[in-house]
Amino acid sequence: MPTFYGTEVTSRLMLGTAQYPSPAILADAFRRSGAGIATVSVRREAGGDQAGQDFWALIRKLGVALMPNTAGCYSVREAVTTAQMARELFDTNWIKLEVIGHADTLQPDPFGLVEAAAQLAEDGFEVFPYCTEDLVLCERLVEVGCKVLMPWGAPIGTGMGLKNIYGLRSVRAHFPDIPLVVDAGLGLPSHAAQAMELGYDAVLLNTAVAKAGDPAAMAHAFALAVEAGALAAGADAMDARDMAAPSTPVFGKAIL
């Protein structure tokens, strides 16, 4: 299982906690998924005292590690302040760092992301940056102290899957010793399996499960897909060929 900042997690699947039809369905989805980490928006927790307490109690009952995030932050100052609030609320140095640069695609702001990551790492945070598959950006994030990278598969909530296989494969090859998580854009279990087949350490998703007709069943499907993809990655898969190759030997074939 992957290790993030010295902590080994129990699953390669991470789930978000937003958009579920009810708390009971959320809890059932987590149980069926076996997810090892739950992400939660700090803004949701700060929205109301009683609502926040009830939700936090539910998350504790799930028995999974918690990763607060800075979802919805569009500036360095906003993201850093939100991360500081998260550390006080949840008593953890883990933070999924989002600094959004484009309102339509929710693409990360690469300049703000590096600046915020540097400030947070300096302050003792263990940063999980939501980034693109740009090698230069990833290199800068590692340089300022990030020991995990979380490139997107596609824009958040689109369900389009892995839109740049070449880019994601390049990140894996360039950072062989850095834990990598595909974060955002996954819509089907097959997308998660594909990410694992590329050699990634985990996947993080929310909408594909929360918005499914049966979230618990979809969570279970993603769990199986992640396991299958990880097994395939370790099995030294065959290389693709341009031409057919017979699986049955022709030697000894009857001559008519």
Side-chain angles (χ1 to χ4, degrees):
M1 290 300 171
T3 298
F4 302 123
Y5 291 99
T7 299
E8 185 176 10
V9 297
T10 59
S11 170
R12 298 181 185 275
L13 178 61
M14 309 178 189
L15 285 182
T17 54
Q19 306 184 76
Y20 288 85
S22 72
I25 291 175
L26 183 156
D28 195 22
F30 265 85
R31 283 191 289 268
R32 293 283 299 277
S33 73
I37 294 176
T39 63
V40 61
S41 170
V42 177
R43 296 182 176 215
R44 175 174 181 172
E45 283 302 289
D49 292 339
Q50 189 59 48
Q53 291 172 10
D54 290 345
F55 184 75
W56 180 219
L58 171 64
I59 297 301
R60 283 200 302 267
K61 289 179 181 177
L62 296 176
V64 299
L66 186 68
M67 185 195 302
N69 65 51
T70 63
C73 292
Y74 283 80
S75 71
V76 172
R77 180 178 179 182
E78 190 179 15
V80 169
T81 301
T82 301
Q84 291 168 341
M85 291 172 55
R87 182 156 62 181
E88 293 183 12
L89 280 168
F90 301 112
D91 191 28
T92 178
N93 286 323
W94 279 13
I95 190 73
K96 177 191 169 185
L97 178 62
E98 297 183 29
V99 182
I100 302 302
H102 192 274
D104 291 333
T105 64
L106 301 181
Q107 180 172 325
D109 172 359
F111 308 103
L113 187 63
V114 172
E115 183 180 346
Q119 291 184 31
L120 292 172
E122 178 89 17
D123 194 27
F125 282 89
E126 296 172 334
V127 181
F128 294 70
Y130 162 64
C131 59
T132 63
E133 70 281 9
D134 183 282
L135 285 176
V136 177
L137 170 58
C138 290
E139 189 70 60
R140 296 294 179 270
L141 289 168
V142 171
E143 288 173 358
V144 300
C146 295
K147 297 181 180 179
V148 178
L149 295 171
M150 302 179 72
W152 67 353
I156 293 172
T158 63
M160 294 191 295
L162 309 185
K163 299 304 293 179
N164 185 359
I165 297 293
Y166 168 79
L168 291 170
R169 185 180 289 118
S170 296
V171 173
R172 178 72 284 176
H174 194 71
F175 299 99
D177 300 320
I178 298 288
L180 299 179
V181 181
V182 170
D183 175 17
L186 305 184
L188 294 170
S190 57
H191 299 156
Q194 189 176 29
M196 302 308 298
E197 289 165 3
L198 291 175
Y200 277 67
D201 297 279
V203 297
L204 170 57
L205 56 122
N206 188 164
T207 308
V209 169
K211 290 297 187 180
D214 185 340
M218 185 61 77
H220 188 203
F222 268 99
L224 296 175
V226 167
E227 181 179 357
L231 287 171
D236 192 18
M238 64 173 284
D239 294 326
R241 296 170 53 95
D242 291 330
M243 298 183 65
S247 57
T248 301
V250 295
F251 181 76
K253 176 183 174 182
I255 300 176
L256 302 178

